[in-house]
Amino acid sequence: MTTLDEAGPVRHQLDLQSLSSYLRSHLKPFEGALTARQFSHGQSNPTYLLDCGAAFQCVLRKQPHGKLLSTAHAVDREHCIMRALKPTAVPVPEMLCYCADAGVIGTPFFVMEFIHGRVFKDATLEQLPPIERFGVYHAMCDVLARLHRVDWRSLAGLEQFAPDGAAEGGAYAARQVRRWKRQVEGGRAVLAEAGVAESGDLAALAGWLEEHTAEAEAYAAAHFSPTIVHGDFKLDNLIFHPTEPRVLALIDWELATIGCPLADLAHCCQAYRWPREHWFVPGLRGASLLRLGIPHESQFVRGYLERVAQPPLPELVWTFYCALAYFRMAAIVHGVHARAIMGNASSARAQL
């Protein structure tokens, strides 16, 4: 699927007259009408393809309207990080403008370059020949390693994303467990009022993570310097060249922070554990990876560790960060369901 294919009917309306005036004065003048299409992909911040007359196209990303869960929908964070990364080896779109004034379209938003390319939602890449599937996974691994090799301290504005102690490598996993527990608690009342039962497995997983946090963090702190953590690094947040297995842009930086790079690696590798037919995150479990030409998880992890010059990971450490990735995903789905009940989820699939 191309990025153009992703854009369809608008589900969350924009004040196009107000937005048109803003863009003409803050971006550049253009002739003709401003029109918008909304991207179907994404569970958080509504994202639109804007046609500015016949002059140019760009992408607008905004907060949802309505009551929001705390700490979520940080469009200012996304804009700041992508702007800072633009001169580095990490491929990101060019940032065009940021507007904190909710009076323009109802919420803060930013506008960025439109990247024409391919977005792969199916981890098996069935539409590609095996040699290109391998190339796509190779390119994804390479971009992840490039991100984690960036000297973030040299980039203006990123110090604000390092919580207390993060710059020295401290307590990243513990902060993540606390954060996602709060996210679950924040949506619990909404779900309970709607009669949605919550599985006890979520609390059990949180307890296991808390029990093993200290050991996992001690290893990570001894072997990995704090890096930029994308927070949602996976195949469908990469835009690939229209015909080559080459990444043109890494998008969706809402959850980015400074922390342990193993969190990104484990999150990316969740695809190996999700069933192919899963409604929310179709994965690779049960697929013949050798036939498909896709590297096994152990090969992908080894390739990453070689790129960042690190030895193989202890089993408990890898299990911990994979479990943390699952817990975070469960908390995100929990929040998506809560926002759907409140009526301000942005994805076309949020009601499924």
Side-chain angles (χ1 to χ4, degrees):
M1 177 175 288
T2 70
T3 44
L4 276 175
D5 294 332
E6 279 273 298
V10 171
R11 303 180 304 278
H12 303 83
Q13 295 300 319
L14 294 172
D15 184 341
L16 292 179
Q17 182 175 354
S18 176
L19 179 60
S20 179
S21 297
Y22 180 89
L23 294 179
R24 284 185 166 94
S25 60
H26 289 79
L27 198 51
K28 59 182 178 180
F30 59 90
E31 299 294 330
L34 174 68
T35 60
R37 287 171 278 174
Q38 189 167 356
F39 290 102
S40 59
H41 186 54
Q43 293 289 345
S44 188
N45 295 324
T47 309
Y48 304 81
L49 176 61
L50 303 180
D51 287 286
C52 300
F56 63 96
Q57 292 179 309
C58 55
V59 173
L60 180 145
R61 190 158 163 89
K62 67 183 287 294
Q63 288 182 332
H65 285 284
K67 182 180 179 182
L68 304 178
L69 300 176
S70 62
T71 75
H73 313 290
V75 293
D76 56 335
R77 174 183 294 255
E78 292 191 83
H79 177 266
C80 178
I81 290 180
M82 284 190 280
R83 184 179 61 183
L85 283 171
K86 186 59 180 174
T88 74
V90 180
V92 292
E94 181 182 356
M95 298 295 103
L96 302 178
C97 65
Y98 175 76
C99 177
D101 181 5
V104 178
I105 59 170
T107 71
F109 66 91
F110 67 89
V111 178
M112 60 183 166
E113 170 193 12
F114 171 63
I115 304 289
H116 180 63
R118 295 176 294 172
V119 177
F120 299 114
K121 295 184 179 181
D122 178 5
T124 64
L125 302 172
E126 286 279 10
Q127 70 273 42
L128 301 180
I131 188 64
E132 191 170 355
R133 292 177 196 141
F134 179 85
V136 164
Y137 276 81
H138 177 87
M140 177 167 64
C141 185
D142 193 58
V143 168
L144 182 60
R146 273 192 264 164
L147 170 63
H148 294 158
R149 292 198 301 262
V150 168
D151 178 11
W152 60 270
R153 292 176 178 84
S154 69
L155 302 179
L158 297 194
E159 299 85 357
Q160 63 180 305
F161 301 122
D164 292 343
E168 291 74 42
Y172 171 79
R175 291 196 308 273
Q176 287 291 295
V177 173
R178 288 195 300 270
R179 174 187 177 167
W180 296 112
K181 281 183 68 176
R182 286 196 304 269
Q183 175 109 342
V184 170
E185 291 161 2
R188 183 170 285 147
V190 175
L191 297 180
E193 187 175 343
V196 179
E198 183 177 298
S199 170
D201 292 342
L202 203 54
L205 179 55
W208 186 90
L209 288 167
E210 289 172 328
E211 180 182 351
H212 293 91
T213 294
E215 183 177 352
E217 287 208 306
Y219 178 89
H223 291 81
F224 293 88
S225 298
T227 67
I228 300 172
V229 175
H230 178 274
D232 195 17
F233 190 96
K234 54 192 175 76
L235 184 63
D236 61 0
N237 276 333
L238 296 167
I239 300 175
F240 283 81
H241 186 277
T243 60
E244 302 172 14
R246 177 163 56 90
V247 177
L248 299 181
L250 172 57
I251 57 174
D252 199 354
W253 292 82
E254 176 193 348
L255 298 175
T257 187
I258 303 300
C260 178
L262 292 178
D264 270 347
L265 179 62
H267 182 75
C268 182
C269 287
Q270 282 189 95
Y272 288 103
R273 295 176 176 80
W274 289 95
R276 293 184 66 178
E277 67 279 3
H278 197 277
W279 69 272
F280 187 63
V281 187
L284 295 168
R285 196 175 79 195
S288 174
L289 299 183
L290 182 62
R291 179 186 67 81
L292 290 170
I294 293 173
H296 285 266
E297 179 184 275
S298 60
Q299 295 172 305
F300 188 89
V301 171
R302 183 170 65 248
Y304 169 84
L305 292 173
E306 288 173 353
R307 286 169 169 83
V308 297
Q310 288 295 331
L313 299 171
E315 183 177 356
L316 175 65
V317 173
W318 183 235
T319 299
F320 175 87
Y321 281 97
C322 288
L324 178 59
Y326 269 113
F327 181 64
R328 185 179 63 174
M329 178 62 74
I332 289 171
V333 174
H334 195 279
V336 168
H337 198 163
R339 291 200 306 277
I341 291 171
M342 292 188 293
N344 62 352
S346 69
S347 172
R349 298 192 303 151
Q351 296 286 355
L352 293 177

